[in-house]
Amino acid sequence: MIIGYARVSSTSQSLDIQHEALAAAGAEKVFSEKVSGRSTTDREQLALAMSFAREGDTLIVTRLDRLARSVGDLHRIIEVLTQKGVGFKCLNQPGVDTDTSTGRLMLAMLAAVASFEADIRHERQMEGVRKAQAAGKYRGRPASIDPSKIKELKAGGMGAAAIAKAMGIGRASVYRALAA
């Protein structure tokens, strides 16, 4: 059986193009989700696709970055599929096919390049943040909890639950602020 997996990063993006390509490639069942690919955690549909796949099946994706954005995640996914006897193919990178040694080599090289690109993008983003901070244009997220206010309310006789309700925060946050 050919199993498709489609993913986009945000709810405003459409899965239609990936669904069409997977169907045209013969996918009999498609798992899809709208979630970040930065990590494989919290990717429920990917987990379902991998558990659904049986020996002799092939998992297909349109592009490698739809499956994983890091070399480590990609290797873990491929290892699980390989142990189950499930093949993997990437439609837009036809050389990526785990059924051949050349395909496995190509997969490793493309994964390394994708990981490198993600790292470079993150470095540029952090560089921009540092530059904006130096110019006084970026201060990060404001602190949502004022520990001194919490301690003041506690000293005034309020309990943790009442403080949490008054400040719109969780009770655990109150306890952490009091312990600090």
Side-chain angles (χ1 to χ4, degrees):
M1 172 181 256
I2 297 175
I3 301 163
Y5 175 71
R7 184 192 60 78
V8 291
S9 297
S10 70
T11 55
S12 64
Q13 294 174 308
S14 173
L15 289 160
D16 294 345
I17 293 171
Q18 290 180 61
H19 283 170
E20 290 169 13
L22 294 169
E28 300 168 57
K29 178 138 179 85
V30 175
F31 293 84
S32 58
E33 55 195 340
K34 295 184 175 190
V35 64
S36 172
R38 206 70 172 132
S39 168
T40 55
T41 58
D42 299 329
R43 290 176 56 195
E44 184 180 308
Q45 292 299 306
L46 174 60
L48 286 172
M50 290 175 63
S51 68
F52 179 82
R54 301 289 179 249
E55 187 173 350
D57 290 347
T58 300
L59 179 70
I60 62 172
V61 295
T62 56
R63 289 191 342 240
L64 203 52
D65 67 346
R66 301 299 86 200
L67 184 67
R69 298 298 289 259
S70 77
V71 175
D73 283 345
L74 180 64
H75 285 299
R76 281 187 289 280
I77 292 168
I78 298 303
E79 184 165 333
V80 169
L81 294 175
T82 301
Q83 287 175 354
K84 290 181 78 170
V86 176
F88 171 74
K89 291 185 182 176
C90 184
L91 301 179
N92 289 357
Q93 285 111 359
V96 176
D97 178 350
T98 60
D99 292 337
T100 68
S101 58
T102 305
R104 288 188 295 275
L105 173 64
M106 181 69 110
L107 178 66
M109 291 184 340
L110 288 172
V113 170
S115 180
F116 176 72
E117 287 176 341
D119 288 346
I120 294 295
R121 189 171 32 253
H122 184 259
E123 286 174 14
R124 282 194 306 258
Q125 179 185 7
M126 291 299 100
E127 188 177 297
V129 167
R130 284 190 296 275
K131 187 176 180 180
Q133 285 173 332
K137 295 180 182 177
Y138 182 91
R139 296 183 230 343
R141 190 177 89 181
S144 58
I145 298 172
D146 181 4
S148 63
K149 176 78 174 163
I150 292 171
K151 289 175 183 173
E152 180 183 311
L153 292 172
K154 180 68 175 169
M158 282 181 89
I163 294 170
K165 187 173 184 179
M167 294 188 68
I169 60 174
R171 240 183 11 201
S173 296
V174 172
Y175 291 124
R176 276 193 300 274
L178 292 171

